[in-house]
Amino acid sequence: MKEILDKIINGLYSDENYQKEYSQIYKIHKYWARKPWYIVEKYINEYSNIDDTVMDPFCGSGCTGLEAVINNRNFIGRDLNPAAIQISKGTLLNNIDFENLAKDLEKITCTCKEKIMNLYLTKYLCPECGHYLYYKYINIGPKFKNQYSGMLYCDNCKSKGIKHKLTKEEAQDLQNYNALNIEKWVPNKSFPKKFYKDRFSYKGISLITDMYTKRNLYALSVLYDEIQKLKGKNKELFLLAFTNTVLHVSKLKSENVRPLGVNNYWVPDDYIEENVWFRFEDRIKNIIKAKKQQLKRELEKKAHDINYGSWSINNVSALDNIEENSIDYFFTDPPYGDAIQYSELSYIWNAWINKSYDTKEEIIINPVQNKGIQEFNELLSKSLENIYNALKPNKYFTLCFQNKNSEIWKAVILKCRDLGFKLIDTSIYNTYGSPFNKSWANFSPKSDIYVTFQKSDIGKNNFYSKKETVEDIIYKIRLYMKEKNISENNNRLYDLTMSYLIWTLYYNKQDITVNKFNIKSFSALVQNDISQKH
């Protein structure tokens, strides 16, 4: 046990030296479960070679893809979600003509800005420069009935904002915008009748367009229409900025609530109507900044004779067969059960890019789709079979899997063992995310476990047979931490327990009951261990 724990400790919260400016590259669009790029890069460089083919069958926002190609690997990405494909392609795009991109931004600005900004124009002058002020946003809802408030800002001197209470006349103007005639295309599409996490239909929202005020819908239609006239990479980047705008200017946002902050379409009673041009301009400038950082990083790599690899991103399921023995390294981060409902949370994005997909092969726990733990495990097992068959002999596969359910972890580890994967390493790194999303009150994992396997003869001598319980493991780990003078806290103890449990599930032929072990019950198990030993 000590040998395994020594190995786990060496891979616990490794302190990475990395250039923080390059994190901007991965902030071009909202997406879930994004892994720190420097950790992904570390794994790609450790377990693959230059010119190798790296694959991620759940490519998400494209982090694995970019880290592969920027380190001179060839990359194949797959995802069932069209929104993920759009974001991944936008992430990997390089050789950007920034002069041409600036010209297209100027074209969009000349065509759309005044038309959109006039929708938010006020009669007030900036105290600094004397230009007319615009609404940055307006508070709407029961709390603000008959006393609307908002934030004014100056587009000329880019003021931070001036709080403002609307007059009765200004409040009446809000109602007048409901008569706007929207002539250009908008996704007048219905939401599915059943959402697993539905926190909007009870408010009378049944269409995508219901998520917006008439003014913001009009502004989005004008902007979208002009973007459609662009071509090539520029069009893809402008569309990316657009889809990263549509949630911010919807009814999903309030002064204190960010869209999807609670991983569902929750419409607060009091929401804000945000200036569409203000948000879009901010998003496209973020993309331009990110792409310039990407170019800088690419040039640094070239200075070390490392070139940009080739890549392909495909809108197909992880269950589709892959050519046998064709991949040198897999790095992937599959869905976590029911934690993130990708098809539901991407529904608005996909509607705006006029895409949809069949959720039959979505690897998820979702009662509305008639998928429980058993169905989830079966689908995930099929994807693991594909990975095993496609991986070349003696090559490696790294699985990053942040899941609260130990029964699912057990099924994954035993499936990998049964397929013939040899367990090589488990390492733990802190997750990205806000303190809210990582709160113990929500029993959310605080770190990611990266489990690496090798497609090779697992051998018989590695296995043992010993009766163990989770309680036994916790007790032994606490003794180990005391001997090594490792400070004990719930986060660290939980991570060590989960990592050791993975090794035990894999190598111990005796069955270990884990159905009562999860992050929610962990503290109680620790307290019980402490009370028994004292």
Side-chain angles (χ1 to χ4, degrees), residues 29-41:
H29 202 289
K30 161 78 177 178
Y31 208 71
W32 303 273
R34 187 179 282 117
K35 303 306 166 201
W37 63 268
Y38 49 90
I39 295 176
V40 179
E41 180 184 44

Side-chain angles (χ1 to χ4, degrees), residues 22 42 65 73 89 142 149 157 159 164 196 235 376 394 398:
Y22 292 144
K42 173 185 175 181
R73 274 73 169 167
K89 286 182 176 179
S149 70
C157 63
S159 64
H164 172 68
Y196 175 38
K235 180 177 179 180
F376 174 79
N394 299 314
T398 298

